[in-house]
Amino acid sequence: MTPDQNFSFTDLLTQRNSTRRFLDRPLPEGMLAGLLALARRAPSGANLQPGEFIALEGDARARLSAALVEAFRAGRQEPEDYSYFPQPMPQSLRRRQVAAAKELYGALQTGRDDRAGRDRQFERNFNFFDAPVALLVTIDARMGSGCYMDLGMCMYGLMLAAAAHGLGSCAIGALASYPGLIRSTLELGDENYIVCGIALGYADPDAAENTVRTERLKPEEFFRTLR
């Protein structure tokens, strides 16, 4: 499997973004397995290679999306398997969160007071943004905190590999809010925690939400030298 485009590694890092609208175009046969094999080259402590990727298709995907949308619309809440965000959110981090939301909803021309419009967009998380590939990411419940770091590197490897082959992707943290519902709907055991979802496919080049590029910290904001 060879890349579709001649990207430098710097290009991949700077041009990759969260894709939230996809073309109705399936991946070539075997491409997903090839991308996952590349992603598994990521380092992991003691080479444990934690985490599982589950492709959801057909009835399984439809059932899960329907259940998630119903729970979201009803305002149901569940305890998450792991703590995703700090509680409470420090104001410095809250400003970054708000800025990212402003970029997305601004591109969609969805005003701050348009609660219904924002809910409709957020609800698309639970339909995997209608991507041709819907992945559920889980991790063995016995794994330590460091294994989440290792799994994250594997996920990023998948996203970069996808970008190198002309694909877009989006990690979907919203799925972590309904771990019990996901396990019961898909008849998964309690031995695995629900980490997130991933939408993957060919990005719609005309979609406004795919033009969003969020700001990143400058090195002087997160890097220092001790002597």
Side-chain angles (χ1 to χ4, degrees):
M1 187 176 67
T2 58
D4 290 344
Q5 304 180 47
N6 292 320
F7 285 123
S8 71
F9 187 63
T10 299
D11 289 335
L12 291 177
L13 291 175
T14 56
Q15 295 181 22
R16 188 214 64 81
N17 69 311
S18 292
T19 299
R20 293 183 173 89
R21 192 169 294 277
F22 297 83
L23 299 175
D24 184 15
R25 176 185 171 189
L27 271 62
E29 186 71 26
M31 178 179 277
L32 179 59
L35 295 174
L36 288 167
L38 291 172
R40 266 301 176 208
R41 300 305 304 171
S44 62
N47 197 33
L48 297 185
Q49 304 178 59
E52 181 181 20
F53 296 78
I54 303 172
L56 301 174
E57 299 178 351
D59 182 62
R61 176 172 175 172
R63 284 189 291 108
L64 179 61
S65 288
L68 290 168
V69 167
E70 180 184 11
F72 173 69
R73 290 180 179 179
R76 299 213 308 268
Q77 295 183 331
E78 292 185 8
E80 298 177 345
D81 285 337
Y82 68 102
S83 179
Y84 197 106
F85 292 119
Q87 296 293 338
M89 179 81 76
Q91 192 59 37
S92 59
L93 301 184
R94 174 64 177 162
R95 283 194 290 269
R96 295 179 199 167
Q97 184 184 38
V98 170
K102 184 177 180 181
E103 290 289 338
L104 173 59
Y105 292 115
L108 293 169
Q109 298 184 344
T110 303
R112 185 173 182 177
D113 297 329
D114 185 359
R115 185 71 262 169
R118 290 182 170 229
D119 283 350
R120 282 194 301 272
Q121 176 61 27
F122 192 83
E123 188 177 291
R124 297 190 66 241
N125 283 282
F126 303 123
N127 287 305
F128 295 87
F129 298 106
D130 301 312
V133 174
L135 296 174
L136 177 66
V137 184
T138 69
I139 193 169
D140 189 312
R142 297 169 296 180
M143 292 294 181
S145 298
C147 291
Y148 285 81
M149 176 177 66
D150 296 343
L151 176 56
M153 289 190 283
C154 182
M155 289 174 55
Y156 192 36
L158 173 61
M159 293 177 192
L160 291 179
H165 288 79
L167 301 173
S169 61
C170 187
I172 306 174
L175 266 66
S177 297
Y178 296 100
L181 176 63
I182 291 173
R183 279 190 287 267
S184 63
T185 302
L186 298 178
E187 299 181 351
L188 303 176
D190 294 334
E191 64 273 13
N192 287 316
Y193 282 167
I194 305 301
V195 177
C196 66
I198 297 177
L200 194 149
Y202 293 96
D204 182 345
D206 299 322
E209 55 265 57
N210 290 344
T211 66
V212 174
R213 298 293 187 275
T214 51
E215 291 295 325
R216 293 296 187 266
L217 296 176
K218 297 178 176 61
E220 58 266 26
E221 297 178 90
F222 65 87
F223 171 75
R224 61 178 173 155
T225 301
L226 298 178
R227 293 184 174 88

mmCIF file of all heavy atoms in Angstrom, residues 71-117:
data_model
loop_
_atom_site.group_PDB
_atom_site.id
_atom_site.type_symbol
_atom_site.label_atom_id
_atom_site.label_comp_id
_atom_site.label_asym_id
_atom_site.label_seq_id
_atom_site.Cartn_x
_atom_site.Cartn_y
_atom_site.Cartn_z
ATOM 1 N N ALA A 71 -30.225 8.839 23.311
ATOM 2 C CA ALA A 71 -29.738 9.204 24.643
ATOM 3 C C ALA A 71 -29.346 10.674 24.699
ATOM 4 O O ALA A 71 -29.636 11.371 25.686
ATOM 5 C CB ALA A 71 -28.546 8.326 25.012
ATOM 6 N N PHE A 72 -28.704 11.164 23.647
ATOM 7 C CA PHE A 72 -28.295 12.572 23.605
ATOM 8 C C PHE A 72 -29.508 13.493 23.606
ATOM 9 O O PHE A 72 -29.554 14.478 24.354
ATOM 10 C CB PHE A 72 -27.436 12.816 22.367
ATOM 11 C CG PHE A 72 -27.095 14.263 22.145
ATOM 12 C CD1 PHE A 72 -26.233 14.931 23.009
ATOM 13 C CD2 PHE A 72 -27.634 14.959 21.070
ATOM 14 C CE1 PHE A 72 -25.916 16.271 22.804
ATOM 15 C CE2 PHE A 72 -27.325 16.292 20.862
ATOM 16 C CZ PHE A 72 -26.461 16.948 21.724
ATOM 17 N N ARG A 73 -30.496 13.169 22.795
ATOM 18 C CA ARG A 73 -31.686 14.021 22.722
ATOM 19 C C ARG A 73 -32.459 14.015 24.038
ATOM 20 O O ARG A 73 -33.084 15.026 24.394
ATOM 21 C CB ARG A 73 -32.591 13.556 21.580
ATOM 22 C CG ARG A 73 -32.020 13.819 20.195
ATOM 23 C CD ARG A 73 -32.956 13.343 19.098
ATOM 24 N NE ARG A 73 -32.404 13.611 17.767
ATOM 25 C CZ ARG A 73 -33.005 13.273 16.617
ATOM 26 N NH1 ARG A 73 -34.171 12.634 16.656
ATOM 27 N NH2 ARG A 73 -32.443 13.558 15.472
ATOM 28 N N ALA A 74 -32.401 12.900 24.747
ATOM 29 C CA ALA A 74 -33.106 12.800 26.025
ATOM 30 C C ALA A 74 -32.316 13.427 27.166
ATOM 31 O O ALA A 74 -32.819 13.524 28.294
ATOM 32 C CB ALA A 74 -33.400 11.336 26.343
ATOM 33 N N GLY A 75 -31.081 13.837 26.892
ATOM 34 C CA GLY A 75 -30.257 14.446 27.932
ATOM 35 C C GLY A 75 -29.740 13.461 28.960
ATOM 36 O O GLY A 75 -29.378 13.847 30.076
ATOM 37 N N ARG A 76 -29.703 12.173 28.592
ATOM 38 C CA ARG A 76 -29.221 11.162 29.529
ATOM 39 C C ARG A 76 -27.720 11.293 29.728
ATOM 40 O O ARG A 76 -26.993 11.641 28.799
ATOM 41 C CB ARG A 76 -29.576 9.760 29.026
ATOM 42 C CG ARG A 76 -31.079 9.521 28.877
ATOM 43 C CD ARG A 76 -31.466 8.100 29.174
ATOM 44 N NE ARG A 76 -30.715 7.098 28.456
ATOM 45 C CZ ARG A 76 -31.085 6.585 27.279
ATOM 46 N NH1 ARG A 76 -32.188 7.019 26.680
ATOM 47 N NH2 ARG A 76 -30.368 5.660 26.696
ATOM 48 N N GLN A 77 -27.258 10.977 30.917
ATOM 49 C CA GLN A 77 -25.838 11.042 31.235
ATOM 50 C C GLN A 77 -25.399 9.739 31.883
ATOM 51 O O GLN A 77 -26.192 9.071 32.546
ATOM 52 C CB GLN A 77 -25.549 12.226 32.158
ATOM 53 C CG GLN A 77 -25.813 13.581 31.523
ATOM 54 C CD GLN A 77 -25.451 14.722 32.455
ATOM 55 O OE1 GLN A 77 -25.519 14.592 33.674
ATOM 56 N NE2 GLN A 77 -25.069 15.853 31.891
ATOM 57 N N GLU A 78 -24.132 9.399 31.665
ATOM 58 C CA GLU A 78 -23.543 8.205 32.269
ATOM 59 C C GLU A 78 -22.165 8.560 32.837
ATOM 60 O O GLU A 78 -21.501 9.461 32.326
ATOM 61 C CB GLU A 78 -23.347 7.098 31.215
ATOM 62 C CG GLU A 78 -24.599 6.491 30.651
ATOM 63 C CD GLU A 78 -24.271 5.324 29.709
ATOM 64 O OE1 GLU A 78 -23.082 4.932 29.647
ATOM 65 O OE2 GLU A 78 -25.188 4.832 29.050
ATOM 66 N N PRO A 79 -21.728 7.843 33.846
ATOM 67 C CA PRO A 79 -20.339 8.001 34.281
ATOM 68 C C PRO A 79 -19.402 7.436 33.215
ATOM 69 O O PRO A 79 -19.643 6.354 32.668
ATOM 70 C CB PRO A 79 -20.268 7.189 35.579
ATOM 71 C CG PRO A 79 -21.387 6.208 35.477
ATOM 72 C CD PRO A 79 -22.476 6.879 34.692
ATOM 73 N N GLU A 80 -18.358 8.174 32.888
ATOM 74 C CA GLU A 80 -17.402 7.717 31.887
ATOM 75 C C GLU A 80 -16.461 6.670 32.474
ATOM 76 O O GLU A 80 -16.245 6.613 33.678
ATOM 77 C CB GLU A 80 -16.609 8.908 31.338
ATOM 78 C CG GLU A 80 -17.485 9.936 30.626
ATOM 79 C CD GLU A 80 -16.697 11.151 30.144
ATOM 80 O OE1 GLU A 80 -15.548 11.336 30.606
ATOM 81 O OE2 GLU A 80 -17.230 11.899 29.315
ATOM 82 N N ASP A 81 -15.910 5.842 31.608
ATOM 83 C CA ASP A 81 -14.971 4.821 32.057
ATOM 84 C C ASP A 81 -13.664 5.434 32.555
ATOM 85 O O ASP A 81 -12.967 4.846 33.381
ATOM 86 C CB ASP A 81 -14.659 3.850 30.915
ATOM 87 C CG ASP A 81 -15.805 2.877 30.652
ATOM 88 O OD1 ASP A 81 -16.622 2.654 31.564
ATOM 89 O OD2 ASP A 81 -15.872 2.350 29.527
ATOM 90 N N TYR A 82 -13.311 6.586 32.036
ATOM 91 C CA TYR A 82 -12.080 7.268 32.445
ATOM 92 C C TYR A 82 -12.330 8.767 32.391
ATOM 93 O O TYR A 82 -13.259 9.230 31.713
ATOM 94 C CB TYR A 82 -10.905 6.882 31.540
ATOM 95 C CG TYR A 82 -11.024 7.392 30.119
ATOM 96 C CD1 TYR A 82 -10.306 8.504 29.696
ATOM 97 C CD2 TYR A 82 -11.861 6.763 29.198
ATOM 98 C CE1 TYR A 82 -10.409 8.984 28.401
ATOM 99 C CE2 TYR A 82 -11.974 7.223 27.899
ATOM 100 C CZ TYR A 82 -11.250 8.335 27.505
ATOM 101 O OH TYR A 82 -11.363 8.811 26.225
ATOM 102 N N SER A 83 -11.543 9.516 33.094
ATOM 103 C CA SER A 83 -11.726 10.968 33.144
ATOM 104 C C SER A 83 -11.107 11.607 31.904
ATOM 105 O O SER A 83 -9.887 11.580 31.725
ATOM 106 C CB SER A 83 -11.067 11.540 34.407
ATOM 107 O OG SER A 83 -11.202 12.939 34.462
ATOM 108 N N TYR A 84 -11.953 12.152 31.046
ATOM 109 C CA TYR A 84 -11.472 12.738 29.790
ATOM 110 C C TYR A 84 -10.985 14.172 30.010
ATOM 111 O O TYR A 84 -9.876 14.530 29.639
ATOM 112 C CB TYR A 84 -12.584 12.704 28.736
ATOM 113 C CG TYR A 84 -12.097 12.892 27.319
ATOM 114 C CD1 TYR A 84 -12.034 11.824 26.437
ATOM 115 C CD2 TYR A 84 -11.684 14.135 26.864
ATOM 116 C CE1 TYR A 84 -11.576 11.987 25.133
ATOM 117 C CE2 TYR A 84 -11.221 14.310 25.571
ATOM 118 C CZ TYR A 84 -11.170 13.245 24.712
ATOM 119 O OH TYR A 84 -10.703 13.413 23.430
ATOM 120 N N PHE A 85 -11.836 14.999 30.601
ATOM 121 C CA PHE A 85 -11.501 16.400 30.847
ATOM 122 C C PHE A 85 -11.264 16.625 32.339
ATOM 123 O O PHE A 85 -11.815 15.911 33.176
ATOM 124 C CB PHE A 85 -12.623 17.321 30.377
ATOM 125 C CG PHE A 85 -12.811 17.354 28.882
ATOM 126 C CD1 PHE A 85 -14.009 16.962 28.312
ATOM 127 C CD2 PHE A 85 -11.790 17.777 28.051
ATOM 128 C CE1 PHE A 85 -14.180 16.994 26.936
ATOM 129 C CE2 PHE A 85 -11.952 17.808 26.675
ATOM 130 C CZ PHE A 85 -13.149 17.417 26.111
ATOM 131 N N PRO A 86 -10.477 17.646 32.681
ATOM 132 C CA PRO A 86 -10.305 17.987 34.099
ATOM 133 C C PRO A 86 -11.606 18.524 34.676
ATOM 134 O O PRO A 86 -12.366 19.214 33.982
ATOM 135 C CB PRO A 86 -9.220 19.068 34.082
ATOM 136 C CG PRO A 86 -9.259 19.645 32.707
ATOM 137 C CD PRO A 86 -9.676 18.530 31.801
ATOM 138 N N GLN A 87 -11.869 18.192 35.927
ATOM 139 C CA GLN A 87 -13.067 18.671 36.617
ATOM 140 C C GLN A 87 -12.658 19.326 37.932
ATOM 141 O O GLN A 87 -12.120 18.644 38.799
ATOM 142 C CB GLN A 87 -14.034 17.501 36.880
ATOM 143 C CG GLN A 87 -14.588 16.847 35.635
ATOM 144 C CD GLN A 87 -15.514 17.746 34.849
ATOM 145 O OE1 GLN A 87 -16.071 18.711 35.401
ATOM 146 N NE2 GLN A 87 -15.689 17.449 33.578
ATOM 147 N N PRO A 88 -12.877 20.637 38.070
ATOM 148 C CA PRO A 88 -13.453 21.522 37.053
ATOM 149 C C PRO A 88 -12.427 21.916 36.006
ATOM 150 O O PRO A 88 -11.217 21.760 36.217
ATOM 151 C CB PRO A 88 -13.879 22.738 37.892
ATOM 152 C CG PRO A 88 -12.881 22.771 38.996
ATOM 153 C CD PRO A 88 -12.592 21.326 39.333
ATOM 154 N N MET A 89 -12.895 22.431 34.881
ATOM 155 C CA MET A 89 -12.019 22.865 33.804
ATOM 156 C C MET A 89 -11.357 24.193 34.185
ATOM 157 O O MET A 89 -12.057 25.182 34.433
ATOM 158 C CB MET A 89 -12.828 23.045 32.516
ATOM 159 C CG MET A 89 -12.007 23.526 31.325
ATOM 160 S SD MET A 89 -11.084 22.206 30.505
ATOM 161 C CE MET A 89 -12.418 21.382 29.597
ATOM 162 N N PRO A 90 -10.023 24.265 34.260
ATOM 163 C CA PRO A 90 -9.364 25.545 34.548
ATOM 164 C C PRO A 90 -9.719 26.583 33.490
ATOM 165 O O PRO A 90 -9.908 26.244 32.314
ATOM 166 C CB PRO A 90 -7.874 25.189 34.496
ATOM 167 C CG PRO A 90 -7.823 23.717 34.736
ATOM 168 C CD PRO A 90 -9.077 23.162 34.123
ATOM 169 N N GLN A 91 -9.799 27.814 33.895
ATOM 170 C CA GLN A 91 -10.222 28.868 32.982
ATOM 171 C C GLN A 91 -9.287 28.999 31.787
ATOM 172 O O GLN A 91 -9.728 29.271 30.665
ATOM 173 C CB GLN A 91 -10.320 30.207 33.724
ATOM 174 C CG GLN A 91 -11.022 31.299 32.943
ATOM 175 C CD GLN A 91 -12.446 30.922 32.551
ATOM 176 O OE1 GLN A 91 -13.152 30.277 33.315
ATOM 177 N NE2 GLN A 91 -12.857 31.301 31.357
ATOM 178 N N SER A 92 -7.991 28.773 32.009
ATOM 179 C CA SER A 92 -7.041 28.869 30.898
ATOM 180 C C SER A 92 -7.343 27.834 29.815
ATOM 181 O O SER A 92 -7.213 28.118 28.613
ATOM 182 C CB SER A 92 -5.612 28.690 31.412
ATOM 183 O OG SER A 92 -5.466 27.416 32.046
ATOM 184 N N LEU A 93 -7.745 26.631 30.237
ATOM 185 C CA LEU A 93 -8.093 25.583 29.274
ATOM 186 C C LEU A 93 -9.483 25.810 28.701
ATOM 187 O O LEU A 93 -9.743 25.490 27.537
ATOM 188 C CB LEU A 93 -8.021 24.212 29.940
ATOM 189 C CG LEU A 93 -6.668 23.825 30.529
ATOM 190 C CD1 LEU A 93 -6.719 22.404 31.074
ATOM 191 C CD2 LEU A 93 -5.565 23.958 29.494
ATOM 192 N N ARG A 94 -10.360 26.342 29.500
ATOM 193 C CA ARG A 94 -11.717 26.648 29.029
ATOM 194 C C ARG A 94 -11.662 27.633 27.858
ATOM 195 O O ARG A 94 -12.437 27.510 26.905
ATOM 196 C CB ARG A 94 -12.539 27.227 30.186
ATOM 197 C CG ARG A 94 -13.924 27.735 29.810
ATOM 198 C CD ARG A 94 -14.828 26.630 29.324
ATOM 199 N NE ARG A 94 -16.162 27.134 29.035
ATOM 200 C CZ ARG A 94 -17.060 26.500 28.292
ATOM 201 N NH1 ARG A 94 -16.758 25.316 27.760
ATOM 202 N NH2 ARG A 94 -18.243 27.015 28.086
ATOM 203 N N ARG A 95 -10.736 28.568 27.905
ATOM 204 C CA ARG A 95 -10.615 29.537 26.814
ATOM 205 C C ARG A 95 -10.231 28.837 25.504
ATOM 206 O O ARG A 95 -10.721 29.199 24.432
ATOM 207 C CB ARG A 95 -9.581 30.606 27.170
ATOM 208 C CG ARG A 95 -10.108 31.654 28.151
ATOM 209 C CD ARG A 95 -9.195 32.861 28.220
ATOM 210 N NE ARG A 95 -7.936 32.550 28.872
ATOM 211 C CZ ARG A 95 -7.722 32.677 30.187
ATOM 212 N NH1 ARG A 95 -8.695 33.092 30.994
ATOM 213 N NH2 ARG A 95 -6.537 32.382 30.714
ATOM 214 N N ARG A 96 -9.370 27.832 25.592
ATOM 215 C CA ARG A 96 -9.009 27.079 24.385
ATOM 216 C C ARG A 96 -10.210 26.307 23.849
ATOM 217 O O ARG A 96 -10.446 26.230 22.639
ATOM 218 C CB ARG A 96 -7.873 26.110 24.692
ATOM 219 C CG ARG A 96 -6.558 26.773 25.068
ATOM 220 C CD ARG A 96 -5.509 25.719 25.369
ATOM 221 N NE ARG A 96 -4.416 26.283 26.153
ATOM 222 C CZ ARG A 96 -3.496 25.565 26.766
ATOM 223 N NH1 ARG A 96 -3.524 24.235 26.671
ATOM 224 N NH2 ARG A 96 -2.528 26.150 27.469
ATOM 225 N N GLN A 97 -10.970 25.706 24.759
ATOM 226 C CA GLN A 97 -12.158 24.952 24.370
ATOM 227 C C GLN A 97 -13.159 25.855 23.661
ATOM 228 O O GLN A 97 -13.710 25.493 22.607
ATOM 229 C CB GLN A 97 -12.791 24.324 25.610
ATOM 230 C CG GLN A 97 -13.995 23.440 25.327
ATOM 231 C CD GLN A 97 -14.612 22.930 26.620
ATOM 232 O OE1 GLN A 97 -14.682 23.653 27.619
ATOM 233 N NE2 GLN A 97 -15.041 21.680 26.621
ATOM 234 N N VAL A 98 -13.392 27.028 24.219
ATOM 235 C CA VAL A 98 -14.343 27.977 23.636
ATOM 236 C C VAL A 98 -13.849 28.460 22.269
ATOM 237 O O VAL A 98 -14.630 28.592 21.320
ATOM 238 C CB VAL A 98 -14.570 29.164 24.589
ATOM 239 C CG1 VAL A 98 -15.354 30.275 23.902
ATOM 240 C CG2 VAL A 98 -15.306 28.694 25.841
ATOM 241 N N ALA A 99 -12.542 28.715 22.157
ATOM 242 C CA ALA A 99 -11.994 29.188 20.893
ATOM 243 C C ALA A 99 -12.161 28.145 19.786
ATOM 244 O O ALA A 99 -12.487 28.484 18.635
ATOM 245 C CB ALA A 99 -10.518 29.540 21.060
ATOM 246 N N ALA A 100 -11.959 26.869 20.126
ATOM 247 C CA ALA A 100 -12.129 25.804 19.138
ATOM 248 C C ALA A 100 -13.582 25.717 18.689
ATOM 249 O O ALA A 100 -13.872 25.556 17.492
ATOM 250 C CB ALA A 100 -11.667 24.472 19.722
ATOM 251 N N ALA A 101 -14.509 25.817 19.643
ATOM 252 C CA ALA A 101 -15.932 25.778 19.293
ATOM 253 C C ALA A 101 -16.313 26.972 18.425
ATOM 254 O O ALA A 101 -17.096 26.847 17.475
ATOM 255 C CB ALA A 101 -16.773 25.753 20.565
ATOM 256 N N LYS A 102 -15.742 28.117 18.742
ATOM 257 C CA LYS A 102 -16.033 29.316 17.968
ATOM 258 C C LYS A 102 -15.596 29.156 16.516
ATOM 259 O O LYS A 102 -16.295 29.586 15.590
ATOM 260 C CB LYS A 102 -15.334 30.519 18.608
ATOM 261 C CG LYS A 102 -15.652 31.848 17.946
ATOM 262 C CD LYS A 102 -14.982 32.998 18.684
ATOM 263 C CE LYS A 102 -15.292 34.341 18.027
ATOM 264 N NZ LYS A 102 -14.621 35.460 18.744
ATOM 265 N N GLU A 103 -14.434 28.531 16.305
ATOM 266 C CA GLU A 103 -13.949 28.297 14.950
ATOM 267 C C GLU A 103 -14.899 27.385 14.175
ATOM 268 O O GLU A 103 -15.251 27.659 13.027
ATOM 269 C CB GLU A 103 -12.551 27.675 14.995
ATOM 270 C CG GLU A 103 -11.458 28.615 15.466
ATOM 271 C CD GLU A 103 -11.137 29.686 14.448
ATOM 272 O OE1 GLU A 103 -11.428 29.489 13.252
ATOM 273 O OE2 GLU A 103 -10.598 30.729 14.854
ATOM 274 N N LEU A 104 -15.326 26.291 14.806
ATOM 275 C CA LEU A 104 -16.201 25.336 14.122
ATOM 276 C C LEU A 104 -17.558 25.951 13.808
ATOM 277 O O LEU A 104 -18.016 25.926 12.657
ATOM 278 C CB LEU A 104 -16.379 24.083 14.977
ATOM 279 C CG LEU A 104 -17.398 23.060 14.453
ATOM 280 C CD1 LEU A 104 -17.013 22.564 13.065
ATOM 281 C CD2 LEU A 104 -17.548 21.899 15.425
ATOM 282 N N TYR A 105 -18.217 26.487 14.834
ATOM 283 C CA TYR A 105 -19.566 26.998 14.615
ATOM 284 C C TYR A 105 -19.562 28.275 13.786
ATOM 285 O O TYR A 105 -20.538 28.588 13.101
ATOM 286 C CB TYR A 105 -20.265 27.197 15.951
ATOM 287 C CG TYR A 105 -20.539 25.881 16.648
ATOM 288 C CD1 TYR A 105 -19.919 25.557 17.863
ATOM 289 C CD2 TYR A 105 -21.367 24.936 16.068
ATOM 290 C CE1 TYR A 105 -20.153 24.335 18.476
ATOM 291 C CE2 TYR A 105 -21.598 23.718 16.675
ATOM 292 C CZ TYR A 105 -20.988 23.423 17.872
ATOM 293 O OH TYR A 105 -21.205 22.207 18.464
ATOM 294 N N GLY A 106 -18.442 29.001 13.818
ATOM 295 C CA GLY A 106 -18.318 30.150 12.951
ATOM 296 C C GLY A 106 -18.272 29.741 11.488
ATOM 297 O O GLY A 106 -18.919 30.359 10.636
ATOM 298 N N ALA A 107 -17.523 28.678 11.195
ATOM 299 C CA ALA A 107 -17.447 28.176 9.822
ATOM 300 C C ALA A 107 -18.813 27.697 9.335
ATOM 301 O O ALA A 107 -19.142 27.825 8.153
ATOM 302 C CB ALA A 107 -16.430 27.043 9.735
ATOM 303 N N LEU A 108 -19.594 27.159 10.265
ATOM 304 C CA LEU A 108 -20.931 26.666 9.928
ATOM 305 C C LEU A 108 -21.991 27.757 9.991
ATOM 306 O O LEU A 108 -23.168 27.479 9.739
ATOM 307 C CB LEU A 108 -21.315 25.531 10.884
ATOM 308 C CG LEU A 108 -20.485 24.251 10.745
ATOM 309 C CD1 LEU A 108 -20.765 23.314 11.913
ATOM 310 C CD2 LEU A 108 -20.795 23.559 9.425
ATOM 311 N N GLN A 109 -21.567 28.965 10.343
ATOM 312 C CA GLN A 109 -22.487 30.104 10.491
ATOM 313 C C GLN A 109 -23.628 29.766 11.456
ATOM 314 O O GLN A 109 -24.792 30.076 11.216
ATOM 315 C CB GLN A 109 -23.034 30.535 9.127
ATOM 316 C CG GLN A 109 -21.947 31.004 8.171
ATOM 317 C CD GLN A 109 -22.479 31.517 6.851
ATOM 318 O OE1 GLN A 109 -23.630 31.273 6.477
ATOM 319 N NE2 GLN A 109 -21.653 32.247 6.125
ATOM 320 N N THR A 110 -23.244 29.117 12.547
ATOM 321 C CA THR A 110 -24.186 28.765 13.603
ATOM 322 C C THR A 110 -23.897 29.650 14.806
ATOM 323 O O THR A 110 -22.854 29.518 15.443
ATOM 324 C CB THR A 110 -24.035 27.280 14.001
ATOM 325 O OG1 THR A 110 -24.233 26.463 12.836
ATOM 326 C CG2 THR A 110 -25.066 26.896 15.051
ATOM 327 N N GLY A 111 -24.808 30.559 15.093
ATOM 328 C CA GLY A 111 -24.592 31.540 16.137
ATOM 329 C C GLY A 111 -24.534 30.936 17.522
ATOM 330 O O GLY A 111 -25.011 29.816 17.770
ATOM 331 N N ARG A 112 -23.967 31.716 18.454
ATOM 332 C CA ARG A 112 -23.824 31.247 19.824
ATOM 333 C C ARG A 112 -25.170 30.954 20.468
ATOM 334 O O ARG A 112 -25.281 30.065 21.307
ATOM 335 C CB ARG A 112 -23.068 32.301 20.640
ATOM 336 C CG ARG A 112 -22.754 31.883 22.053
ATOM 337 C CD ARG A 112 -21.871 32.913 22.736
ATOM 338 N NE ARG A 112 -21.523 32.514 24.090
ATOM 339 C CZ ARG A 112 -20.713 33.210 24.884
ATOM 340 N NH1 ARG A 112 -20.167 34.340 24.446
ATOM 341 N NH2 ARG A 112 -20.440 32.782 26.106
ATOM 342 N N ASP A 113 -26.202 31.684 20.083
ATOM 343 C CA ASP A 113 -27.524 31.500 20.670
ATOM 344 C C ASP A 113 -28.368 30.464 19.929
ATOM 345 O O ASP A 113 -29.501 30.186 20.341
ATOM 346 C CB ASP A 113 -28.276 32.842 20.692
ATOM 347 C CG ASP A 113 -27.583 33.870 21.580
ATOM 348 O OD1 ASP A 113 -26.947 33.455 22.567
ATOM 349 O OD2 ASP A 113 -27.683 35.070 21.284
ATOM 350 N N ASP A 114 -27.812 29.891 18.873
ATOM 351 C CA ASP A 114 -28.548 28.892 18.092
ATOM 352 C C ASP A 114 -28.326 27.519 18.723
ATOM 353 O O ASP A 114 -27.578 26.691 18.209
ATOM 354 C CB ASP A 114 -28.082 28.919 16.642
ATOM 355 C CG ASP A 114 -28.896 27.993 15.734
ATOM 356 O OD1 ASP A 114 -29.812 27.314 16.250
ATOM 357 O OD2 ASP A 114 -28.590 27.937 14.531
ATOM 358 N N ARG A 115 -28.985 27.271 19.837
ATOM 359 C CA ARG A 115 -28.807 26.028 20.576
ATOM 360 C C ARG A 115 -29.210 24.816 19.734
ATOM 361 O O ARG A 115 -28.527 23.777 19.737
ATOM 362 C CB ARG A 115 -29.645 26.076 21.849
ATOM 363 C CG ARG A 115 -29.484 24.895 22.800
ATOM 364 C CD ARG A 115 -28.144 24.935 23.479
ATOM 365 N NE ARG A 115 -27.149 24.078 22.845
ATOM 366 C CZ ARG A 115 -25.867 24.102 23.130
ATOM 367 N NH1 ARG A 115 -25.399 24.939 24.018
ATOM 368 N NH2 ARG A 115 -25.032 23.297 22.520
ATOM 369 N N ALA A 116 -30.309 24.951 18.990
ATOM 370 C CA ALA A 116 -30.772 23.829 18.179
ATOM 371 C C ALA A 116 -29.754 23.497 17.085
ATOM 372 O O ALA A 116 -29.477 22.325 16.820
ATOM 373 C CB ALA A 116 -32.130 24.153 17.562
ATOM 374 N N GLY A 117 -29.191 24.530 16.461
ATOM 375 C CA GLY A 117 -28.209 24.296 15.413
ATOM 376 C C GLY A 117 -26.942 23.648 15.952
ATOM 377 O O GLY A 117 -26.369 22.755 15.327
#
